[in-house]
Every structure is written in structure tokens, then in C-alpha cells.
Amino acid sequence: MHWSLDKRHLVSASQDGKLIVWDSYTTNKIHAIPLRSSLVMTCAYAPSGSFAACGGLDNICTVYNLGSSPAKIARELSAHMGYLSCCRYISDRQILTYDFDRG
């Protein structure tokens, strides 16, 4: 789970295979994005609220464009050697990821 900078919206991902963007004031779902892999470990919200990212045991960080309806994959970052355990945006154009590569 990760809060947006506006402190109103948050993104969550779980092993039910969904990445969900929430409005915490109304408790409504803004987006419910089906994931290609349900083995998700982390998710992050971009500073502008225009993107969300997630990843996990598939070794891929997938970035979603929340400005389209439905939300679409903007990028897949697939250079990780191990599972993705953390991702955090620095800016809308930069994201830090950490993988567990066993070596």
C-alpha cells in the first residue's frame, strides 16, 4: 500500500490479482486493475497521481497509466534478476526498485 502526496488517494495490491486505487475520503475504488501476475509484493503511487507501479515474484515492475480508462500498462521494467520487493517513485519519470537476486 502507498499513499499519494494529496493524502486522499492510495494504491494497494494483493495476491487476489488486483491493483486498486482508492479514494480514502469516500472509500470508493477509483481503479481496479487486473494484474498479469497475482504474486505481487509491492506497489507505489507516482507524485502526480497519474501513474502507479507494482511488482513481485514475476521479477517485473509494471507501470500503469491511471489517466486512461481503463488504466493501461505504460511500461514494464524487466531487467530484474530476482523478485521485486520494493518500488518507490522519485518523480513521475523516475522510479527506484529493489530486487532480491540471491547473489
Side-chain angles (χ1 to χ4, degrees):
M1 183 199 82
H2 192 230
W3 286 93
S4 69
L5 292 179
D6 68 9
K7 298 187 178 17
R8 176 176 184 162
H9 299 95
L10 63 119
V11 64
S12 67
S14 70
Q15 294 184 354
D16 67 357
K18 299 268 192 262
L19 181 73
I20 300 176
V21 178
W22 300 88
D23 181 327
S24 68
Y25 292 2
T26 65
T27 68
N28 291 332
K29 295 177 189 174
I30 297 170
H31 294 280
I33 304 164
L35 302 175
R36 290 185 183 175
S37 171
S38 63
L39 303 174
V40 65
M41 305 279 289
T42 186
C43 61
Y45 215 136
S48 71
S50 297
F51 300 96
C54 67
L57 299 182
D58 62 355
N59 301 0
I60 299 172
C61 180
T62 305
V63 177
Y64 292 90
N65 181 347
L66 302 178
S68 61
S69 184
K72 296 187 189 283
I73 294 175
R75 295 276 188 270
E76 286 187 322
L77 310 174
S78 59
H80 298 91
M81 301 301 292
Y83 70 84
L84 196 71
S85 61
C86 187
C87 62
R88 286 295 177 259
Y89 279 92
I90 297 172
S91 70
D92 275 17
R93 299 181 58 82
Q94 295 177 307
I95 189 168
L96 288 174
T97 61
Y98 176 81
D99 70 62
F100 185 77
D101 65 9
R102 302 189 216 301

